[in-house]
Amino acid sequence: MDPIRRSILATGAAAAAVAAAPHVFAQQTGPGGAATSFYERGNVRIRYQQTGSGFPLLCTPGGGLNSRIAGWPNAVINAMDAFKNDFRCITMDQRNATGGESTGPVPVDDPWDAFADDQLGLMDHLGIRQFVFFGNCIGGSFALKLMERAPDRIVAAVLSQPIGHRPEKPDVMYNSGRDVWAPEFRKRQPNVSMETIEKYLHNLYRVRPDFVYSVSRDFVRSCQTPMLVLPDDSDAHAYQASVDVASLAPNAEVTVYPWKDPPELKARTINRARTFLKRHQPMTAAR
C-alpha cells in the first residue's frame, strides 16, 4: 500500500476511535448489566446507572451522605434488581458520597434543595418528565423534598426505612455526617474546612430538628402525592417518624412492622411496593 495512503487511513481510524470513545464510555456496565454514565451541570458531575425498561423509577440507595450505587447489593431491598423487570430503573451516586463518583461543591446554604437539583437535573438530562421513586434510608427525605419541589413530576414514592429525628438521640444523623462522612470527604477535598462542613451538617439536620429534616409536618399534611412507607426502628430510622408521615400524608399507606423477616413476609412487602408503584404510574404509560 502507498505510504501516504496508509498514513491517511491510520489517521482516519484514530479519529474515528476518538469520536466513538464517549459513546463507548456511556455504555459501560456495572453489576447486573446496568449501563453507567455521567451527567454534568456546571461544576456538578453525577454518576448514574440504568437498567430495565418501562416507566421511569428513580431509586436512591441508603447510607446517609454516603448514598451511592455500590450500596445496592447490601440493601434490605435492592430496588435496582427487584424492579428491573417492571420499570426503567435509574440510580445515582449522591453528590460527594464516599466511594461514589459524583462530585460537586458542598452546598452549605440549601443542602436538601441541592440534592433535589441533582436528582431533577439527572431526570431532565435523560428527557424524563414524570417518574416514580424508591428511596432507602435518606432516600425518604429525598422523596419528600422532591414532592415539595416538583409535585407534578414525582407521581408516587416508596419510602423504605426512612431516616427521622429521634428526640432521645437528636444528633444521630449530624454525628454520622461529622464522624463518618466528613473525614473521608476531607481526604479528597482538604480545601473544604471543617467549619464549612459543620455549617452544612447543621443546615441538613439541625435547622429543622424534627421529623424528616427535609420538609415540615405542614407540608406533609398538605402533600397529595401517593406514598408507601416501610418503617424501621433504629437510631437513624426512627419508627415514630414513619408513623407520623403515614398519619399526616393524605394519600399515604404503610406496611406492617417489622417486615424484613421472615423471608416470605419480606417478599410480600417487595411485591406490595411493586404493585403500589405500578398502580400509580400514569395510565398512558401503563398501556
Side-chain angles (χ1 to χ4, degrees):
M1 180 183 295
D2 181 271
I4 296 176
R5 176 173 170 76
R6 183 184 298 112
S7 177
I8 292 172
L9 289 175
T11 302
V18 170
H23 175 76
V24 172
F25 176 74
Q27 295 302 314
Q28 289 179 341
T29 57
T36 301
S37 193
F38 290 85
Y39 147 68
E40 297 187 22
R41 186 187 77 252
N43 53 3
V44 176
R45 186 174 192 254
I46 300 297
R47 177 179 181 250
Y48 67 94
Q49 287 187 355
Q50 300 186 79
T51 190
S53 61
F55 191 71
L57 169 62
L58 178 59
C59 307
T60 57
L65 295 179
N66 287 330
S67 168
R68 63 194 189 280
I69 295 168
W72 281 120
N74 296 320
V76 174
I77 296 178
N78 181 346
M80 292 293 286
D81 185 62
F83 304 124
K84 65 184 179 183
N85 294 326
D86 305 280
F87 298 96
R88 176 187 175 185
C89 296
I90 302 153
T91 193
M92 60 194 287
D93 293 332
Q94 302 304 320
R95 184 192 304 201
N96 296 323
T98 300
E101 296 182 45
S102 294
T103 57
V106 176
V108 172
D109 294 332
D110 204 353
W112 290 110
D113 273 302
F115 281 124
D117 286 341
D118 294 346
Q119 293 152 9
L120 292 172
L122 172 59
M123 301 310 270
D124 290 342
H125 170 74
L126 295 173
I128 294 170
R129 177 64 184 165
Q130 289 190 309
F131 56 96
V132 288
F133 186 94
F134 183 99
N136 272 339
C137 180
I138 198 171
S141 294
F142 291 157
L144 291 163
K145 176 54 71 173
L146 287 172
M147 293 175 200
E148 183 181 63
R149 280 279 305 273
D152 58 330
R153 298 188 65 179
I154 177 169
V155 298
V158 175
L159 284 62
S160 175
Q161 301 180 290
I163 62 170
H165 182 75
R166 184 178 291 276
E168 66 274 23
K169 294 184 177 180
D171 274 339
V172 166
M173 294 302 298
Y174 182 96
N175 292 343
S176 173
R178 182 193 63 197
D179 301 337
V180 179
W181 171 77
E184 293 300 321
F185 173 73
R186 294 199 68 225
K187 289 178 184 177
R188 305 190 304 275
Q189 297 287 340
N191 58 309
V192 180
S193 70
M194 199 63 204
E195 180 183 7
T196 295
I197 287 174
E198 287 175 351
K199 289 179 181 178
Y200 173 59
L201 296 174
H202 174 86
N203 289 338
L204 275 168
Y205 302 123
R206 286 179 172 172
V207 165
R208 191 181 281 118
D210 177 46
F211 198 37
V212 297
Y213 307 113
S214 64
V215 298
S216 68
R217 291 174 185 269
D218 285 343
F219 166 72
V220 174
R221 192 176 286 113
S222 67
C223 179
Q224 299 299 313
T225 305
M227 61 187 89
L228 174 64
V229 182
L230 281 57
D232 192 21
D233 191 13
S234 65
D235 286 352
H237 309 151
Y239 176 74
Q240 190 60 48
S242 289
V243 171
D244 290 350
V245 170
S247 300
L248 292 171
N251 294 312
E253 303 175 23
V254 63
T255 65
V256 298
Y257 174 80
W259 52 266
K260 293 180 284 186
D261 292 302
E264 293 80 8
L265 178 57
K266 178 180 173 181
R268 287 200 297 272
T269 302
I270 293 172
N271 191 56
R272 180 175 176 185
R274 178 184 296 107
T275 301
F276 170 84
L277 292 170
K278 294 182 80 168
R279 183 170 77 242
H280 289 290
Q281 70 182 36
M283 291 302 296
T284 53
R287 294 195 185 105

